[in-house]
Structures are given as C-alpha cells and as structure tokens.
Amino acid sequence: MDSAALTFSLSRFVEDVRVLVPTGGHARHERLPDGRTTLVFRVLDEGRRGDVCVAGPRTQALFKNAPGVVRAVIIQFKPGWSAPLLGVAANTLTDQIVPLEDLWGRSGSDLCFELLSARRLPEVFDRLSHALALRAHQTFEPASARLARRAVRLLEGDEVRVESVAKQLGVTARHLRRAFTENVGIGPKDFARTVRLQRAVRMAAASKKDWGRIAADAGYYDQAHLIADFRELVGLTPGAFLKRPGVRSGSGDAEAVQPVLD
C-alpha cells in the first residue's frame, strides 16, 4: 500500500486538522465538550523536544495555557474511531490526556521522533497520515463502533431522544448506550447536549447574541435551559464565554488546515 492511498483513506476518520501557533510566546488551547478524541503533536523548547498525546472526549470545557510550545498539530477524529485507530475503548480516554506511547508502545515513541525530525509541516502531515492510516488497516473494528457512528449522525441531525435513535437503529436503548459509551466516550444523552452547546456557540459567533432565538434554534427548551447547560458544561454563562480575551472558541490560537483530508 503506497503513501498516497494511505493518506486518502484518512478522510474516513479524520474530521479536522489544526495547527496551533503561540501568540506572544504562550500557546492557549480551549476545548469544549464535543464527544471527540484528538491526537496532539507538540514541538517544545524551540524544537529540541516534543511529544504526541491523545486527548479523549471531554465532559467539561478545558481552558489551558501551554508555555514552551513552539507549534502544535491537532488532529480531531470523527466520533467512533478510537478502537481501530488507538486500540482502546473511547471511554478509557474520557477527560484524559494520555501519551501515545502508552497506547501504541514503541511505535508511539518512534512516531514522535519521526515528527520532530521532519523539516517542514507538509512532511509532518505525511508522516502522521501514514502512521494513522496504517494503524487503521491493522486493527480490528468492532461492530458496535459502526452502530455508534450511525447514532452520532442521527444525534447531530434533528433527533434528540435516545430511545428514538435506538428504535431507528433496531436496538434497545441500553444496547445503544453501551455501544455509544465504549466507542464515543460519553453516553448518547450527554453527546446530544454537546451537539446543542456547539450549535449555540456557532450561532452566537455569527449573530447579534439574541440568546432567546439562539436557544430555540439550537434545540434548547428556552434561554434558561441554554444558560444552565453553559454553566454546567463550560463553567461560564454564554455572555461571559464570548467575552473571554483573545481566543477563538474550541481551537486556541489555531488555523484550520486540510492536508490529510484532501
């Protein structure tokens, strides 16, 4: 299998790629609850060292300063790919940041060395693409992962009730919850909450901050429901979240790119 074929196959399971570059000497990363697992390669200490970690799905927002980071490449996986790509159930990674070496063994540390030795960013992407696609072809994908991904598509559409999703997929709600938790990292009900939250954030960024209208369009019962979810999941009111200084929501000082998706 050649490199081009491996790279092309990444579009199946990679949802987004971002490069984070520090502003004023300090990198800042923000992540909202979203039911996604990400792979993060960081270049540290002016390029003298680095690391590759896996950040699991989050149940609470993360706001983190990262001093010493020269650059970070963040690969966000589509929900339901933790088992074939990483070799572990997604719920073992929930709210965790784990060195890739702990999951892949020596091949994880070897990948970090290869990425650090890359001279240009496209070469970093090529090596990441090759490693991930090769891993996907070598590991087993459980049937429950495919079920979970089908449920994700319904929950990210117009469906919000777990029982209705289970019925459409021909399984019990209990079976769906178990498959979803193992393969996405959080339960389907919690995942639906993250869908509403992310939808509201996108709408707020593009609107005049009419929270009543945003709440209705994002799928909340009312504005009070939206505010309560923000407080619980983000730790801030919607207004306070949008007023935080200097960082675009969800991505830190990052620029979206698509080198592995084309």
Side-chain angles (χ1 to χ4, degrees):
M1 184 178 300
D2 61 27
S3 178
L6 287 169
T7 301
F8 179 78
S9 70
L10 284 179
S11 61
R12 293 180 59 204
F13 44 79
V14 173
E15 185 171 68
D16 188 33
V17 181
R18 293 183 178 271
V19 177
L20 185 150
V21 179
T23 299
H26 293 280
R28 179 170 171 79
H29 180 58
E30 294 190 2
R31 189 163 169 216
L32 298 180
D34 61 3
R36 267 70 176 169
T37 295
T38 62
L39 183 76
V40 182
F41 165 56
R42 302 191 306 169
V43 179
L44 305 167
D45 295 339
E46 299 182 354
R48 290 189 292 271
R49 64 185 183 90
D51 57 28
V52 182
C53 295
V54 175
R58 294 204 61 81
T59 59
Q60 298 287 321
L62 175 68
F63 304 95
K64 183 178 180 180
N65 290 317
V69 175
V70 176
R71 182 177 66 237
V73 177
I74 303 168
I75 295 184
Q76 180 172 289
F77 300 124
K78 297 176 182 178
W81 284 103
S82 290
L85 290 177
L86 302 173
V88 295
N91 59 330
T92 66
L93 302 170
T94 303
D95 290 325
Q96 303 292 319
I97 299 177
V98 181
L100 184 63
E101 185 178 4
D102 290 359
L103 304 179
W104 285 8
R106 181 173 178 177
S107 61
S109 56
D110 288 345
L111 176 60
C112 184
F113 178 78
E114 291 177 11
L115 297 179
L116 280 173
S117 64
R119 293 182 177 273
R120 297 178 303 155
L121 199 55
E123 191 175 351
V124 170
F125 291 130
D126 184 64
R127 294 181 183 188
L128 276 169
S129 299
H130 190 277
L132 288 170
L134 184 63
R135 185 79 180 187
H137 281 82
Q138 290 179 340
T139 48
F140 171 74
E141 180 189 1
S144 61
R146 293 188 289 274
L147 174 66
R149 291 198 295 272
R150 291 172 63 195
V152 164
R153 289 192 289 271
L154 292 172
L155 290 168
E156 289 187 328
D158 296 327
E159 190 54 71
V160 296
R161 297 184 64 251
V162 175
E163 292 75 12
S164 178
V165 171
K167 184 177 181 179
Q168 292 182 58
L169 296 178
V171 298
T172 66
R174 181 178 181 182
H175 181 78
L176 176 61
R177 283 191 290 268
R178 181 170 62 250
F180 205 97
T181 301
E182 290 175 355
N183 291 283
V184 178
I186 57 178
K189 184 176 180 180
D190 289 331
F191 183 82
R193 292 181 74 192
T194 72
V195 170
R196 287 194 301 267
L197 179 73
Q198 295 278 350
R199 193 177 292 158
V201 168
R202 290 193 299 271
M203 291 176 178
S207 76
K208 296 180 180 179
K209 315 300 184 295
D210 181 348
W211 293 111
R213 179 63 180 271
I214 290 171
D217 290 346
Y220 291 94
Y221 296 124
D222 52 28
Q223 185 173 340
H225 183 201
L226 180 152
I227 293 172
D229 258 21
F230 258 84
R231 287 186 182 277
E232 185 173 346
L233 298 177
V234 183
L236 300 168
T237 65
F241 173 75
L242 292 179
K243 290 178 182 177
R244 72 213 186 286
V247 184
R248 193 171 63 225
S249 65
S251 61
D253 304 314
E255 179 182 355
V257 291
Q258 291 188 304
V260 298
L261 301 182
D262 295 337

